[in-house]
């Protein structure tokens, strides 16, 4: 009922505006081709992202870090704030994956005592094939000013008496996984090794260092 009334009205109203509407209409069709193109590209990107995520979850790449042995030949605190240290670690990095290679683009090792950083060391970049283990030697040697409160200094002296020190070594990493010919984006897991290290020298007295597995935080 209202339609029959509206037809002539809308015809009369929109009638004159039809010719000027045509060029925008054509432009809009051109825009829609771009629209469709963008939609397709976006869909492909999202699909690839989901595929990569599914692949990642299915394959779940792994990497394991161990400190196999440690030699602490010097760990002296003078004036309660200057640490002279000489610490050498043998680490094993294991790639347990069957079909995944690992690029270690960056491994920065940082040693700390009671939360105070005292040593830095960069490990040269390397590639590791599947099911392979790489041995790394990391040495921290030098002198560093550290800030310890009285409680921590007492702790230090107690550990000195026991000839065993609680030392943390962290590795800040940048690694990529190689799956077939595909390389993943960089991931930056932090590796934390909580070590209990005997001071070298007095052989008869000291317990031995025990191989320690490090925690990995992706
Ligand atoms: C540090 O200790 C290593 C043994 O782990 C030793 O060979 C080296 O000479 C020491 N370096 C210094 C400067 O004392
Ligand atoms: C591990 O890697 C080294 C160096 O790339 C290579 O010589 C060795 O054959 C590899 N071992 C295995 C079990 O793949
Ligand atoms: C070895 O330990 C004994 C007993 O604790 C101590 O008297 C001696 O000074 C120590 N020797 C060294 C080289 O630290």
């Amino acid at each position: 009922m209202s339609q029959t009334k509206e037809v002539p009205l809308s015809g009369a109203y929109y009638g004159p505006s039809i010719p000027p509407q045509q060029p925008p209409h054509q432009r809009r069709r051109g825009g829609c081709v771009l629209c469709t193109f963008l939609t397709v590209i976006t869909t492909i990107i999202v699909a690839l992202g989901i595929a990569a995520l599914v692949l990642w979850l299915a394959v779940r790449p792994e990497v394991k870090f161990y400190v196999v042995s440690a030699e602490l030949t010097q760990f002296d605190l003078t004036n309660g704030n200057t640490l002279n240290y000489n610490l050498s670690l043998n680490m094993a990095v294991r790639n347990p994956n069957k079909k995944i290679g690992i690029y270690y683009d960056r491994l920065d090792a940082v040693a700390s005592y009671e939360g105070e950083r005292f040593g830095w060391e960069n490990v040269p970049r390397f590639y590791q094939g599947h099911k392979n283990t790489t041995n790394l030697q990391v040495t921290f040697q030098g002198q560093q000013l550290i800030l310890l409160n009285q409680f921590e200094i007492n702790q230090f002296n107690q550990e000195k008496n026991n000839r065993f020190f609680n030392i943390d070594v962290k590795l800040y990493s940048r690694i990529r996984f190689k799956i077939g010919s595909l390389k993943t984006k960089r991931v930056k897991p932090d590796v934390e090794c909580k070590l209990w290290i005997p001071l070298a020298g007095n052989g008869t007295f000291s317990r031995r260092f025990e191989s320690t597995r490090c925690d990995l935080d992706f």
Side-chain angles (χ1 to χ4, degrees):
M1 227 166 49
S2 59
Q3 269 182 341
T4 47
K5 263 185 192 173
E6 267 180 19
V7 166
L9 183 70
S10 63
Y13 190 78
Y14 291 110
S17 60
I18 285 170
Q21 254 184 355
Q22 255 173 345
H25 182 64
Q26 271 178 343
R27 246 185 256 142
R28 206 191 291 154
R29 241 168 67 189
C32 265
V33 170
L34 186 65
C35 252
T36 311
F37 181 69
L38 286 179
T39 306
V40 167
I41 291 290
T42 309
T43 308
I44 288 173
I45 289 172
V46 168
L48 279 179
I50 290 171
L53 185 67
V54 168
L55 186 69
W56 177 269
L57 291 178
V59 181
R60 218 182 270 273
E62 256 196 297
V63 52
K64 294 175 180 168
F65 287 80
Y66 302 88
V67 176
V68 180
S69 67
E71 198 178 8
L72 185 65
T73 51
Q74 192 184 24
F75 211 62
D76 298 313
L77 192 64
T78 47
N79 303 325
N81 63 13
T82 306
L83 188 68
N84 284 287
Y85 57 92
N86 186 358
L87 169 63
S88 183
L89 305 177
N90 280 309
M91 299 193 66
V93 186
R94 172 100 185 120
N95 174 3
N97 305 289
K98 273 187 196 147
K99 292 182 176 170
I100 300 175
I102 304 179
Y103 290 94
Y104 298 86
D105 290 329
R106 193 159 151 194
L107 282 179
D108 293 335
V110 175
S112 56
Y113 180 78
E114 295 284 352
E116 289 287 303
R117 297 173 165 205
F118 62 84
W120 291 262
E121 170 91 350
N122 293 323
V123 178
R125 59 198 298 164
F126 64 98
Y127 173 77
Q128 185 179 47
H130 57 90
K131 286 264 174 203
N132 209 332
T133 300
T134 305
N135 295 311
L136 303 175
Q137 177 138 27
V138 181
T139 302
F140 305 97
Q141 199 277 313
Q143 189 181 64
Q144 176 67 32
L145 212 62
I146 60 172
L147 285 172
L148 298 182
N149 60 32
Q150 196 52 51
F151 176 81
E152 290 164 336
I153 290 173
N154 292 344
Q155 186 78 23
F156 181 94
N157 289 331
Q158 197 180 332
E159 294 191 358
K160 182 108 194 160
N161 281 340
N162 296 336
R163 302 185 64 83
F164 249 92
F165 287 98
N166 219 338
I167 295 172
D168 269 19
V169 173
K170 264 197 170 186
L171 292 163
Y172 297 95
S173 76
R174 290 205 179 155
I175 65 183
R176 283 173 297 156
F177 296 103
K178 184 168 171 281
I179 307 169
S181 58
L182 221 125
K183 288 171 197 157
T184 65
K185 279 180 70 173
R186 277 188 186 151
V187 289
K188 304 180 201 174
D190 290 343
V191 181
E192 187 169 18
C193 316
K194 294 192 165 155
L195 307 175
W196 192 231
I197 308 176
L199 190 60
N202 226 325
T204 51
F205 197 54
S206 59
R207 283 171 290 164
R208 299 192 57 185
F209 177 80
E210 279 175 24
S211 179
T212 308
R213 167 131 185 225
C214 307
D215 291 328
L216 215 75
D217 184 17
F218 267 96

